mmCIF file of all heavy atoms in Angstrom:
data_model
loop_
_atom_site.group_PDB
_atom_site.id
_atom_site.type_symbol
_atom_site.label_atom_id
_atom_site.label_comp_id
_atom_site.label_asym_id
_atom_site.label_seq_id
_atom_site.Cartn_x
_atom_site.Cartn_y
_atom_site.Cartn_z
ATOM 1 N N THR A 151 -12.224 -3.826 -0.808
ATOM 2 C CA THR A 151 -10.952 -3.181 -0.529
ATOM 3 C C THR A 151 -11.130 -1.906 0.191
ATOM 4 O O THR A 151 -10.486 -1.552 1.239
ATOM 5 C CB THR A 151 -10.131 -3.020 -1.833
ATOM 6 O OG1 THR A 151 -10.156 -4.222 -2.518
ATOM 7 C CG2 THR A 151 -8.718 -2.584 -1.511
ATOM 8 N N MET A 152 -12.026 -1.022 -0.367
ATOM 9 C CA MET A 152 -12.267 0.259 0.118
ATOM 10 C C MET A 152 -12.812 0.223 1.579
ATOM 11 O O MET A 152 -12.569 0.960 2.453
ATOM 12 C CB MET A 152 -13.170 1.096 -0.769
ATOM 13 C CG MET A 152 -12.373 1.520 -2.033
ATOM 14 S SD MET A 152 -13.260 2.712 -3.039
ATOM 15 C CE MET A 152 -14.482 1.769 -3.743
ATOM 16 N N GLY A 153 -13.794 -0.778 1.764
ATOM 17 C CA GLY A 153 -14.435 -0.938 3.080
ATOM 18 C C GLY A 153 -13.357 -1.365 4.163
ATOM 19 O O GLY A 153 -13.341 -0.725 5.152
ATOM 20 N N LEU A 154 -12.521 -2.305 3.802
ATOM 21 C CA LEU A 154 -11.516 -2.801 4.703
ATOM 22 C C LEU A 154 -10.532 -1.617 4.985
ATOM 23 O O LEU A 154 -10.153 -1.440 6.198
ATOM 24 C CB LEU A 154 -10.684 -3.912 4.167
ATOM 25 C CG LEU A 154 -11.013 -5.318 4.710
ATOM 26 C CD1 LEU A 154 -10.185 -6.384 4.056
ATOM 27 C CD2 LEU A 154 -10.886 -5.456 6.186
ATOM 28 N N PHE A 155 -10.166 -0.878 3.971
ATOM 29 C CA PHE A 155 -9.224 0.168 4.153
ATOM 30 C C PHE A 155 -9.820 1.271 5.108
ATOM 31 O O PHE A 155 -9.158 1.728 6.067
ATOM 32 C CB PHE A 155 -8.958 0.837 2.817
ATOM 33 C CG PHE A 155 -8.029 2.067 2.834
ATOM 34 C CD1 PHE A 155 -6.640 1.856 2.759
ATOM 35 C CD2 PHE A 155 -8.500 3.345 2.937
ATOM 36 C CE1 PHE A 155 -5.756 2.982 2.836
ATOM 37 C CE2 PHE A 155 -7.657 4.421 3.016
ATOM 38 C CZ PHE A 155 -6.292 4.223 2.972
ATOM 39 N N ALA A 156 -11.102 1.515 4.952
ATOM 40 C CA ALA A 156 -11.773 2.591 5.789
ATOM 41 C C ALA A 156 -11.763 2.071 7.274
ATOM 42 O O ALA A 156 -11.454 2.829 8.171
ATOM 43 C CB ALA A 156 -13.206 2.818 5.315
ATOM 44 N N ILE A 157 -12.114 0.807 7.464
ATOM 45 C CA ILE A 157 -12.221 0.254 8.830
ATOM 46 C C ILE A 157 -10.763 0.319 9.461
ATOM 47 O O ILE A 157 -10.610 0.719 10.610
ATOM 48 C CB ILE A 157 -12.704 -1.262 8.844
ATOM 49 C CG1 ILE A 157 -14.156 -1.268 8.388
ATOM 50 C CG2 ILE A 157 -12.538 -1.871 10.241
ATOM 51 C CD1 ILE A 157 -14.744 -2.653 8.098
ATOM 52 N N GLN A 158 -9.814 -0.153 8.700
ATOM 53 C CA GLN A 158 -8.374 -0.116 9.171
ATOM 54 C C GLN A 158 -8.004 1.257 9.596
ATOM 55 O O GLN A 158 -7.305 1.490 10.574
ATOM 56 C CB GLN A 158 -7.458 -0.693 8.057
ATOM 57 C CG GLN A 158 -7.414 -2.155 7.931
ATOM 58 C CD GLN A 158 -6.564 -2.748 9.019
ATOM 59 O OE1 GLN A 158 -7.083 -3.219 10.030
ATOM 60 N NE2 GLN A 158 -5.279 -2.780 8.829
ATOM 61 N N PHE A 159 -8.356 2.234 8.679
ATOM 62 C CA PHE A 159 -7.881 3.643 8.971
ATOM 63 C C PHE A 159 -8.464 4.194 10.233
ATOM 64 O O PHE A 159 -7.844 4.696 11.092
ATOM 65 C CB PHE A 159 -8.124 4.548 7.812
ATOM 66 C CG PHE A 159 -7.532 5.867 7.956
ATOM 67 C CD1 PHE A 159 -6.227 6.114 7.631
ATOM 68 C CD2 PHE A 159 -8.282 6.917 8.495
ATOM 69 C CE1 PHE A 159 -5.611 7.356 7.774
ATOM 70 C CE2 PHE A 159 -7.656 8.185 8.724
ATOM 71 C CZ PHE A 159 -6.346 8.446 8.327
ATOM 72 N N VAL A 160 -9.807 4.034 10.344
ATOM 73 C CA VAL A 160 -10.525 4.533 11.537
ATOM 74 C C VAL A 160 -9.965 3.878 12.770
ATOM 75 O O VAL A 160 -9.633 4.534 13.831
ATOM 76 C CB VAL A 160 -12.045 4.314 11.421
ATOM 77 C CG1 VAL A 160 -12.757 4.657 12.684
ATOM 78 C CG2 VAL A 160 -12.595 5.182 10.285
ATOM 79 N N PHE A 161 -9.831 2.591 12.749
ATOM 80 C CA PHE A 161 -9.333 1.838 13.873
ATOM 81 C C PHE A 161 -7.905 2.230 14.228
ATOM 82 O O PHE A 161 -7.573 2.530 15.413
ATOM 83 C CB PHE A 161 -9.328 0.345 13.587
ATOM 84 C CG PHE A 161 -8.860 -0.556 14.636
ATOM 85 C CD1 PHE A 161 -9.678 -0.792 15.751
ATOM 86 C CD2 PHE A 161 -7.565 -0.966 14.683
ATOM 87 C CE1 PHE A 161 -9.265 -1.530 16.798
ATOM 88 C CE2 PHE A 161 -7.090 -1.702 15.772
ATOM 89 C CZ PHE A 161 -7.870 -1.993 16.815
ATOM 90 N N GLY A 162 -7.048 2.320 13.237
ATOM 91 C CA GLY A 162 -5.630 2.732 13.450
ATOM 92 C C GLY A 162 -5.541 4.205 14.031
ATOM 93 O O GLY A 162 -4.774 4.447 14.951
ATOM 94 N N PHE A 163 -6.350 5.037 13.462
ATOM 95 C CA PHE A 163 -6.340 6.452 13.893
ATOM 96 C C PHE A 163 -6.792 6.599 15.321
ATOM 97 O O PHE A 163 -6.123 7.275 16.080
ATOM 98 C CB PHE A 163 -7.266 7.256 12.937
ATOM 99 C CG PHE A 163 -7.141 8.709 13.207
ATOM 100 C CD1 PHE A 163 -6.167 9.455 12.680
ATOM 101 C CD2 PHE A 163 -8.201 9.405 13.795
ATOM 102 C CE1 PHE A 163 -6.010 10.802 12.898
ATOM 103 C CE2 PHE A 163 -8.105 10.788 14.016
ATOM 104 C CZ PHE A 163 -7.001 11.466 13.521
ATOM 105 N N PHE A 164 -7.826 5.847 15.736
ATOM 106 C CA PHE A 164 -8.220 5.966 17.183
ATOM 107 C C PHE A 164 -7.255 5.306 18.108
ATOM 108 O O PHE A 164 -7.014 5.823 19.228
ATOM 109 C CB PHE A 164 -9.636 5.421 17.315
ATOM 110 C CG PHE A 164 -10.650 6.464 16.880
ATOM 111 C CD1 PHE A 164 -11.391 6.305 15.736
ATOM 112 C CD2 PHE A 164 -10.916 7.606 17.659
ATOM 113 C CE1 PHE A 164 -12.297 7.284 15.315
ATOM 114 C CE2 PHE A 164 -11.792 8.516 17.283
ATOM 115 C CZ PHE A 164 -12.467 8.464 16.050
ATOM 116 N N SER A 165 -6.568 4.213 17.672
ATOM 117 C CA SER A 165 -5.589 3.632 18.558
ATOM 118 C C SER A 165 -4.400 4.583 18.758
ATOM 119 O O SER A 165 -3.832 4.716 19.837
ATOM 120 C CB SER A 165 -4.973 2.387 17.909
ATOM 121 O OG SER A 165 -5.936 1.601 17.471
ATOM 122 N N PHE A 166 -4.130 5.341 17.689
ATOM 123 C CA PHE A 166 -3.061 6.381 17.813
ATOM 124 C C PHE A 166 -3.460 7.498 18.625
ATOM 125 O O PHE A 166 -2.673 7.908 19.476
ATOM 126 C CB PHE A 166 -2.693 6.877 16.347
ATOM 127 C CG PHE A 166 -1.566 7.751 16.286
ATOM 128 C CD1 PHE A 166 -0.235 7.280 16.558
ATOM 129 C CD2 PHE A 166 -1.663 9.153 15.936
ATOM 130 C CE1 PHE A 166 0.855 8.105 16.520
ATOM 131 C CE2 PHE A 166 -0.591 9.956 15.966
ATOM 132 C CZ PHE A 166 0.723 9.424 16.189
ATOM 133 N N LEU A 167 -4.683 7.889 18.619
ATOM 134 C CA LEU A 167 -5.224 8.953 19.479
ATOM 135 C C LEU A 167 -5.180 8.527 20.906
ATOM 136 O O LEU A 167 -4.677 9.257 21.798
ATOM 137 C CB LEU A 167 -6.652 9.341 19.096
ATOM 138 C CG LEU A 167 -6.856 10.309 17.990
ATOM 139 C CD1 LEU A 167 -8.296 10.788 17.913
ATOM 140 C CD2 LEU A 167 -5.911 11.637 18.133
ATOM 141 N N ILE A 168 -5.656 7.300 21.237
ATOM 142 C CA ILE A 168 -5.688 6.956 22.645
ATOM 143 C C ILE A 168 -4.202 6.618 23.129
ATOM 144 O O ILE A 168 -3.978 6.804 24.282
ATOM 145 C CB ILE A 168 -6.588 5.733 22.938
ATOM 146 C CG1 ILE A 168 -6.176 4.469 22.131
ATOM 147 C CG2 ILE A 168 -8.039 5.965 22.755
ATOM 148 C CD1 ILE A 168 -6.944 3.173 22.617
ATOM 149 N N LEU A 169 -3.329 6.385 22.193
ATOM 150 C CA LEU A 169 -1.923 6.260 22.569
ATOM 151 C C LEU A 169 -1.373 7.589 23.083
ATOM 152 O O LEU A 169 -0.682 7.731 24.082
ATOM 153 C CB LEU A 169 -1.071 5.816 21.392
ATOM 154 C CG LEU A 169 0.436 6.059 21.360
ATOM 155 C CD1 LEU A 169 1.054 4.845 22.052
ATOM 156 C CD2 LEU A 169 1.011 6.211 19.965
ATOM 157 N N LEU A 170 -1.819 8.647 22.409
ATOM 158 C CA LEU A 170 -1.345 9.984 22.826
ATOM 159 C C LEU A 170 -1.970 10.429 24.063
ATOM 160 O O LEU A 170 -1.315 11.105 24.896
ATOM 161 C CB LEU A 170 -1.753 11.060 21.660
ATOM 162 C CG LEU A 170 -0.975 10.885 20.326
ATOM 163 C CD1 LEU A 170 -1.489 11.971 19.329
ATOM 164 C CD2 LEU A 170 0.480 10.865 20.457
ATOM 165 N N CYS A 171 -3.291 10.032 24.339
ATOM 166 C CA CYS A 171 -3.979 10.546 25.511
ATOM 167 C C CYS A 171 -3.571 9.709 26.763
ATOM 168 O O CYS A 171 -3.176 10.281 27.751
ATOM 169 C CB CYS A 171 -5.452 10.358 25.360
ATOM 170 S SG CYS A 171 -6.086 11.166 23.915
ATOM 171 N N CYS A 172 -3.590 8.368 26.664
ATOM 172 C CA CYS A 172 -3.289 7.666 27.840
ATOM 173 C C CYS A 172 -2.500 6.368 27.510
ATOM 174 O O CYS A 172 -3.068 5.259 27.360
ATOM 175 C CB CYS A 172 -4.603 7.226 28.537
ATOM 176 S SG CYS A 172 -5.943 6.859 27.352
ATOM 177 N N GLU A 173 -1.238 6.700 27.279
ATOM 178 C CA GLU A 173 -0.336 5.571 26.758
ATOM 179 C C GLU A 173 -0.210 4.412 27.649
ATOM 180 O O GLU A 173 -0.561 3.230 27.230
ATOM 181 C CB GLU A 173 1.052 6.168 26.651
ATOM 182 C CG GLU A 173 1.973 5.205 25.934
ATOM 183 C CD GLU A 173 3.357 5.859 25.666
ATOM 184 O OE1 GLU A 173 3.557 7.117 25.873
ATOM 185 O OE2 GLU A 173 4.252 5.068 25.235
ATOM 186 N N GLY A 174 -0.004 4.534 28.955
ATOM 187 C CA GLY A 174 0.217 3.449 29.921
ATOM 188 C C GLY A 174 -1.002 2.584 30.064
ATOM 189 O O GLY A 174 -0.999 1.366 29.898
ATOM 190 N N ALA A 175 -2.147 3.273 30.308
ATOM 191 C CA ALA A 175 -3.430 2.535 30.632
ATOM 192 C C ALA A 175 -3.947 1.687 29.401
ATOM 193 O O ALA A 175 -4.642 0.741 29.544
ATOM 194 C CB ALA A 175 -4.488 3.551 30.969
ATOM 195 N N THR A 176 -3.528 2.019 28.213
ATOM 196 C CA THR A 176 -4.100 1.304 27.052
ATOM 197 C C THR A 176 -3.079 0.378 26.355
ATOM 198 O O THR A 176 -3.342 -0.190 25.359
ATOM 199 C CB THR A 176 -4.612 2.314 25.942
ATOM 200 O OG1 THR A 176 -3.482 3.122 25.598
ATOM 201 C CG2 THR A 176 -5.674 3.176 26.559
ATOM 202 N N ALA A 177 -1.860 0.308 26.972
ATOM 203 C CA ALA A 177 -0.815 -0.553 26.312
ATOM 204 C C ALA A 177 -1.208 -1.937 26.010
ATOM 205 O O ALA A 177 -0.970 -2.381 24.943
ATOM 206 C CB ALA A 177 0.490 -0.450 27.221
ATOM 207 N N GLY A 178 -1.842 -2.635 26.959
ATOM 208 C CA GLY A 178 -2.257 -3.997 26.810
ATOM 209 C C GLY A 178 -3.266 -4.108 25.617
ATOM 210 O O GLY A 178 -3.053 -4.994 24.788
ATOM 211 N N PHE A 179 -4.216 -3.285 25.607
ATOM 212 C CA PHE A 179 -5.246 -3.332 24.568
ATOM 213 C C PHE A 179 -4.586 -3.057 23.246
ATOM 214 O O PHE A 179 -4.809 -3.776 22.228
ATOM 215 C CB PHE A 179 -6.308 -2.210 24.817
ATOM 216 C CG PHE A 179 -7.206 -2.013 23.655
ATOM 217 C CD1 PHE A 179 -8.230 -2.884 23.392
ATOM 218 C CD2 PHE A 179 -7.070 -0.853 22.872
ATOM 219 C CE1 PHE A 179 -9.078 -2.723 22.349
ATOM 220 C CE2 PHE A 179 -7.952 -0.595 21.837
ATOM 221 C CZ PHE A 179 -8.919 -1.535 21.575
ATOM 222 N N ARG A 180 -3.708 -2.080 23.146
ATOM 223 C CA ARG A 180 -3.083 -1.697 21.868
ATOM 224 C C ARG A 180 -2.185 -2.858 21.352
ATOM 225 O O ARG A 180 -2.215 -3.192 20.158
ATOM 226 C CB ARG A 180 -2.351 -0.373 21.955
ATOM 227 C CG ARG A 180 -3.333 0.834 21.957
ATOM 228 C CD ARG A 180 -2.584 2.196 21.947
ATOM 229 N NE ARG A 180 -1.885 2.383 23.178
ATOM 230 C CZ ARG A 180 -0.632 2.319 23.354
ATOM 231 N NH1 ARG A 180 0.116 2.064 22.307
ATOM 232 N NH2 ARG A 180 -0.096 2.564 24.529
ATOM 233 N N SER A 181 -1.444 -3.474 22.310
ATOM 234 C CA SER A 181 -0.506 -4.480 21.800
ATOM 235 C C SER A 181 -1.254 -5.650 21.397
ATOM 236 O O SER A 181 -0.860 -6.479 20.496
ATOM 237 C CB SER A 181 0.563 -4.780 22.795
ATOM 238 O OG SER A 181 -0.054 -5.443 23.923
ATOM 239 N N ALA A 182 -2.470 -6.014 21.954
ATOM 240 C CA ALA A 182 -3.267 -7.077 21.502
ATOM 241 C C ALA A 182 -3.857 -6.813 20.168
ATOM 242 O O ALA A 182 -4.064 -7.771 19.407
ATOM 243 C CB ALA A 182 -4.414 -7.293 22.451
ATOM 244 N N MET A 183 -4.023 -5.536 19.815
ATOM 245 C CA MET A 183 -4.646 -5.208 18.540
ATOM 246 C C MET A 183 -3.649 -5.154 17.399
ATOM 247 O O MET A 183 -4.036 -5.319 16.182
ATOM 248 C CB MET A 183 -5.324 -3.827 18.626
ATOM 249 C CG MET A 183 -6.584 -3.903 19.407
ATOM 250 S SD MET A 183 -7.777 -5.038 18.784
ATOM 251 C CE MET A 183 -8.431 -5.740 20.185
ATOM 252 N N VAL A 184 -2.362 -5.013 17.700
ATOM 253 C CA VAL A 184 -1.356 -4.857 16.630
ATOM 254 C C VAL A 184 -1.345 -6.014 15.633
ATOM 255 O O VAL A 184 -1.372 -5.760 14.415
ATOM 256 C CB VAL A 184 0.094 -4.661 17.292
ATOM 257 C CG1 VAL A 184 1.147 -4.833 16.200
ATOM 258 C CG2 VAL A 184 0.198 -3.288 17.847
ATOM 259 N N PRO A 185 -1.315 -7.316 16.050
ATOM 260 C CA PRO A 185 -1.315 -8.373 15.040
ATOM 261 C C PRO A 185 -2.555 -8.369 14.208
ATOM 262 O O PRO A 185 -2.488 -8.685 13.016
ATOM 263 C CB PRO A 185 -1.283 -9.673 15.913
ATOM 264 C CG PRO A 185 -1.039 -9.242 17.289
ATOM 265 C CD PRO A 185 -1.306 -7.821 17.498
ATOM 266 N N ILE A 186 -3.633 -8.007 14.783
ATOM 267 C CA ILE A 186 -4.950 -7.958 13.948
ATOM 268 C C ILE A 186 -4.835 -6.858 12.959
ATOM 269 O O ILE A 186 -5.086 -7.100 11.783
ATOM 270 C CB ILE A 186 -6.205 -7.737 14.892
ATOM 271 C CG1 ILE A 186 -6.233 -8.867 15.947
ATOM 272 C CG2 ILE A 186 -7.493 -7.616 14.085
ATOM 273 C CD1 ILE A 186 -7.282 -8.666 16.980
ATOM 274 N N HIS A 187 -4.417 -5.699 13.391
ATOM 275 C CA HIS A 187 -4.322 -4.592 12.391
ATOM 276 C C HIS A 187 -3.261 -4.884 11.339
ATOM 277 O O HIS A 187 -3.561 -4.605 10.155
ATOM 278 C CB HIS A 187 -3.893 -3.284 13.204
ATOM 279 C CG HIS A 187 -3.692 -2.067 12.422
ATOM 280 N ND1 HIS A 187 -4.798 -1.395 11.874
ATOM 281 C CD2 HIS A 187 -2.646 -1.383 12.064
ATOM 282 C CE1 HIS A 187 -4.338 -0.346 11.186
ATOM 283 N NE2 HIS A 187 -3.012 -0.314 11.271
ATOM 284 N N ALA A 188 -2.101 -5.487 11.694
ATOM 285 C CA ALA A 188 -1.031 -5.774 10.765
ATOM 286 C C ALA A 188 -1.576 -6.800 9.767
ATOM 287 O O ALA A 188 -1.311 -6.694 8.556
ATOM 288 C CB ALA A 188 0.155 -6.315 11.484
ATOM 289 N N SER A 189 -2.288 -7.881 10.231
ATOM 290 C CA SER A 189 -2.733 -8.896 9.345
ATOM 291 C C SER A 189 -3.750 -8.334 8.325
ATOM 292 O O SER A 189 -3.730 -8.621 7.136
ATOM 293 C CB SER A 189 -3.255 -10.101 10.181
ATOM 294 O OG SER A 189 -4.247 -10.676 9.597
ATOM 295 N N PHE A 190 -4.746 -7.567 8.860
ATOM 296 C CA PHE A 190 -5.706 -6.954 7.924
ATOM 297 C C PHE A 190 -5.145 -5.947 6.995
ATOM 298 O O PHE A 190 -5.663 -5.717 5.879
ATOM 299 C CB PHE A 190 -6.956 -6.406 8.728
ATOM 300 C CG PHE A 190 -7.958 -7.507 9.054
ATOM 301 C CD1 PHE A 190 -8.023 -8.085 10.316
ATOM 302 C CD2 PHE A 190 -8.826 -7.942 8.126
ATOM 303 C CE1 PHE A 190 -8.926 -9.013 10.573
ATOM 304 C CE2 PHE A 190 -9.705 -8.932 8.353
ATOM 305 C CZ PHE A 190 -9.810 -9.455 9.657
ATOM 306 N N GLY A 191 -4.061 -5.321 7.455
ATOM 307 C CA GLY A 191 -3.359 -4.345 6.587
ATOM 308 C C GLY A 191 -2.792 -4.996 5.455
ATOM 309 O O GLY A 191 -2.949 -4.559 4.266
ATOM 310 N N LEU A 192 -2.142 -6.145 5.586
ATOM 311 C CA LEU A 192 -1.548 -6.891 4.536
ATOM 312 C C LEU A 192 -2.677 -7.417 3.612
ATOM 313 O O LEU A 192 -2.489 -7.372 2.432
ATOM 314 C CB LEU A 192 -0.644 -8.039 5.003
ATOM 315 C CG LEU A 192 0.130 -8.880 3.974
ATOM 316 C CD1 LEU A 192 1.058 -7.918 3.111
ATOM 317 C CD2 LEU A 192 0.983 -9.996 4.597
ATOM 318 N N THR A 193 -3.729 -7.885 4.175
ATOM 319 C CA THR A 193 -4.895 -8.409 3.404
ATOM 320 C C THR A 193 -5.407 -7.272 2.452
ATOM 321 O O THR A 193 -5.739 -7.561 1.329
ATOM 322 C CB THR A 193 -6.002 -8.900 4.326
ATOM 323 O OG1 THR A 193 -5.504 -9.828 5.281
ATOM 324 C CG2 THR A 193 -7.162 -9.565 3.613
ATOM 325 N N THR A 194 -5.558 -6.128 3.066
ATOM 326 C CA THR A 194 -6.081 -4.941 2.293
ATOM 327 C C THR A 194 -5.212 -4.691 1.094
ATOM 328 O O THR A 194 -5.614 -4.444 -0.014
ATOM 329 C CB THR A 194 -6.213 -3.709 3.165
ATOM 330 O OG1 THR A 194 -6.928 -4.060 4.364
ATOM 331 C CG2 THR A 194 -7.019 -2.583 2.398
ATOM 332 N N PHE A 195 -3.893 -4.705 1.353
ATOM 333 C CA PHE A 195 -2.934 -4.461 0.269
ATOM 334 C C PHE A 195 -2.992 -5.504 -0.821
ATOM 335 O O PHE A 195 -2.982 -5.215 -2.030
ATOM 336 C CB PHE A 195 -1.459 -4.443 0.916
ATOM 337 C CG PHE A 195 -0.403 -3.966 -0.076
ATOM 338 C CD1 PHE A 195 -0.392 -2.703 -0.511
ATOM 339 C CD2 PHE A 195 0.528 -4.855 -0.566
ATOM 340 C CE1 PHE A 195 0.638 -2.226 -1.417
ATOM 341 C CE2 PHE A 195 1.504 -4.454 -1.445
ATOM 342 C CZ PHE A 195 1.569 -3.126 -1.851
#
Side-chain angles (χ1 to χ4, degrees):
T151 312
M152 289 191 285
L154 258 183
F155 179 87
I157 294 170
Q158 280 280 98
F159 188 83
V160 170
F161 181 80
F163 189 74
F164 280 106
S165 312
F166 187 65
L167 276 190
I168 58 171
L169 160 88
L170 296 180
C171 306
C172 36
E173 186 174 354
T176 59
F179 168 75
R180 284 183 292 106
S181 69
M183 289 301 142
V184 165
I186 302 172
H187 180 71
S189 146
F190 276 101
L192 184 59
T193 307
T194 310
F195 188 68

